Amino acid sequence: MPEAHYAVGESFSLHFAWRLPEGEYVRAVFQADVLDLVPGADKYIVRLAQLLGRREETAEGDLKPAEQWTNAYWELVDGLVGRKISVAYEADNSRALYLRLATLTGEHNYFSRFENAEVVARGLKARRQNSKQ
């Protein structure tokens, strides 16, 4: 059974990799601050506190020089700092989590679902308060 190796208030490195349409890879390592544990789902709730490292690779796995990196994707990676996400306990092992490119481009809500849920919750709370008046 998976177990958490970090407690609320602790941090660990979280490594993501995305395959680009041309077959190349974008890799990013973040400091993940543990905000909460969800034992029933074997997951952490973390905030991507800081971008610790980045690299872009060819389809063969060779490191590309920084001047050849795809800037549009790196702007999206930079925009992930501060986001809250849930990840499986196993993600704390420093191995890369390979994600669909749609999670980076925002077509999939993986990196925004907590913020979206918080916005909806605030709206529902305001509506409830207004209906009581």
Side-chain angles (χ1 to χ4, degrees):
M1 182 153 153
E3 62 182 53
H5 296 107
Y6 296 89
V8 173
E10 295 182 318
S11 300
F12 61 92
S13 296
L14 188 54
H15 181 172
F16 296 111
W18 296 272
R19 186 168 185 245
L20 303 179
E22 305 80 28
E24 298 173 333
Y25 286 89
V26 166
R27 297 178 179 273
V29 179
F30 291 89
Q31 174 185 315
D33 294 346
V34 179
L35 302 176
D36 203 357
L37 301 174
V38 186
D42 298 329
K43 290 189 173 194
Y44 294 105
I45 305 297
V46 300
R47 173 175 283 113
L48 302 178
Q50 180 181 358
L51 183 61
L52 300 174
R54 58 176 84 210
R55 65 186 283 163
E56 195 166 322
E57 301 171 355
T58 66
E60 294 77 31
D62 298 320
L63 182 63
K64 289 178 61 177
E67 60 272 3
Q68 294 178 11
W69 289 5
T70 313
N71 290 332
Y73 292 119
W74 289 109
E75 289 174 11
L76 295 171
V77 169
D78 291 337
L80 298 177
V81 173
R83 297 288 183 148
K84 284 192 257 183
I85 61 169
S86 65
V87 292
Y89 288 160
E90 295 94 345
D92 67 11
N93 67 3
S94 299
R95 293 184 184 162
L97 299 175
Y98 289 86
L99 299 177
R100 294 183 313 176
L101 188 57
T103 63
L104 181 59
T105 62
E107 297 167 72
H108 185 281
N109 70 348
Y110 181 72
F111 289 104
S112 62
R113 68 177 69 149
F114 278 99
E115 284 84 359
N116 292 344
E118 289 172 347
V119 168
V120 169
R122 283 195 302 268
L124 291 172
K125 183 178 179 182
R127 181 200 264 164
R128 208 173 320 118
Q129 287 175 342
N130 289 338
S131 68
K132 289 180 183 180
Q133 295 177 356

